[in-house]
Amino acid sequence: MTDEQRKLKEHFLEPETRCDTFIGVERKKHWKILLDMLEEVLIVCQRHGLTVWLGAGSILGAVRHKGIIPWDDDIDICMPRPDYEKFLDSFKCENLAIYT
């Protein structure tokens, strides 16, 4: 982890203003849960060799806002249908706190 990543992680829950939109602690907590869930999904996909990518507003936010769009409240992920079918089976076999 780089110093910049460590600093971002330490200060993630602090309120901020992005694109003239105030982002409070509650929204930041919501985003942290989303990002933690995304991390778990990506780990499962990598472990099982599944293809996954960000889509829709999530990829737009990553490029345009360097993160989640300030007024967004979800993460959009995409994968080929055959990988999605494998994902459903694989995810059930994982011992993840977010699944139980």
Side-chain angles (χ1 to χ4, degrees), residues 37-98:
M37 291 170 62
L38 176 62
E39 185 176 18
E40 293 294 333
V41 167
L42 294 176
I43 288 169
V44 171
C45 289
Q46 184 177 26
R47 186 177 294 137
H48 295 277
L50 305 175
T51 301
V52 63
W53 64 91
L54 289 177
S58 294
I59 192 67
L60 177 65
V63 173
R64 186 171 68 187
H65 299 280
K66 307 294 187 253
I68 299 174
I69 295 173
W71 46 89
D72 206 354
D73 62 359
D74 67 350
I75 294 179
D76 308 294
I77 58 172
C78 305
M79 64 178 55
R81 186 64 189 203
D83 282 7
Y84 175 70
E85 299 295 336
K86 292 177 192 171
F87 172 79
L88 292 177
D89 290 336
S90 301
F91 205 73
K92 290 176 188 173
C93 297
E94 297 289 332
N95 187 17
L96 302 172
I98 61 170

